[in-house]
Amino acid sequence: MGTVFVTVGTTKFDELIQAVTADNVKKIFSERGYGRLLLQIGRGDFEPVNCEDPPLRVESYRFKDSLAVDMQEAKLVISHAGAGCVLEALNAGKPLVVVVNEKLMDNHQFELAKRLHKDRHLLYCTCSTLEETLRTMNLASLQPMKHGEPEKLGFYLDSVMGYSGTE
């Protein structure tokens, strides 16, 4: 039984935490063989109920000094679209579903997720499409981002932010 690790970083993204703790989504996790849902809830107002009952144990916390251990132990990472969390999960070689905050659709996070999805490094969705994404995801189709290619992510970020590299 593997762990699904969900992180919102230092943000407040209650919609994501509510979406992954909805009964129908927890059922999908169980059907896919996950036995633990570990939630890093950041500054959110919504605090899910921790539960030890099978088939899915639910645990949550606000912050830790490092997410590295939780990332390493996870079989699946679900993250907000912050570049730091995305890069950490990709560097850890974990299957990654990025959930873009629909309230922030005009920012760089959507473009970053879209580009990394195009290159088959991750799946992305919004809270409203998360359930369908989890139900139909094929994690075997994802390609790991090669270690030693940080310039690739840097290029993505530069292009999304509109930097040409000649300034």
Side-chain angles (χ1 to χ4, degrees):
M1 291 283 189
T3 296
V4 176
F5 176 56
V6 180
T7 178
V8 300
T10 59
T11 66
K12 178 180 177 181
F13 195 1
D14 286 339
E15 294 85 357
L16 174 55
I17 301 302
Q18 290 168 334
V20 296
T21 56
D23 288 341
N24 48 344
V25 172
K26 291 192 297 186
K27 183 178 179 190
I28 293 168
F29 291 145
S30 295
E31 289 170 351
R32 287 187 163 266
Y34 300 108
R36 180 177 178 227
L37 178 60
L38 180 59
L39 309 163
Q40 184 269 317
I41 64 171
R43 294 184 296 116
D45 296 322
F46 178 72
E47 292 189 49
V49 176
N50 289 349
C51 175
E52 292 289 329
D53 298 333
L56 188 68
R57 192 170 84 222
V58 178
E59 303 169 41
S60 66
Y61 63 88
R62 289 200 178 275
F63 299 104
K64 285 185 179 177
D65 290 338
S66 172
L67 303 179
V69 171
D70 294 330
M71 289 262 185
Q72 285 300 324
E73 291 178 352
K75 298 293 184 200
L76 172 66
V77 175
I78 299 174
S79 175
H80 76 120
C85 288
V86 170
L87 183 58
E88 188 169 359
L90 291 175
N91 282 337
K94 297 300 174 175
L96 176 61
V97 176
V98 169
V99 182
V100 177
N101 188 335
E102 294 168 291
K103 295 177 182 176
L104 304 175
M105 290 293 277
D106 62 337
N107 71 21
H108 67 280
Q109 294 182 353
F110 174 72
E111 293 300 322
L112 176 63
K114 187 166 72 169
R115 179 57 192 247
L116 291 170
H117 172 74
K118 180 181 175 189
D119 290 344
R120 299 175 42 200
H121 296 306
L122 55 80
L123 301 173
Y124 80 99
C125 61
T126 62
C127 288
S128 61
T129 60
L130 177 64
E131 181 180 348
E132 185 63 21
T133 298
L134 294 172
R135 181 178 288 113
T136 61
M137 68 183 176
N138 177 6
L139 299 178
S141 71
L142 297 178
Q143 301 295 315
M145 185 174 278
K146 294 177 184 168
H147 292 285
E149 292 186 345
E151 68 280 354
K152 191 173 183 181
L153 184 62
F155 173 75
Y156 292 151
L157 291 174
D158 286 349
S159 66
V160 166
M161 299 301 289
Y163 301 124
S164 66
T166 60
E167 299 167 1

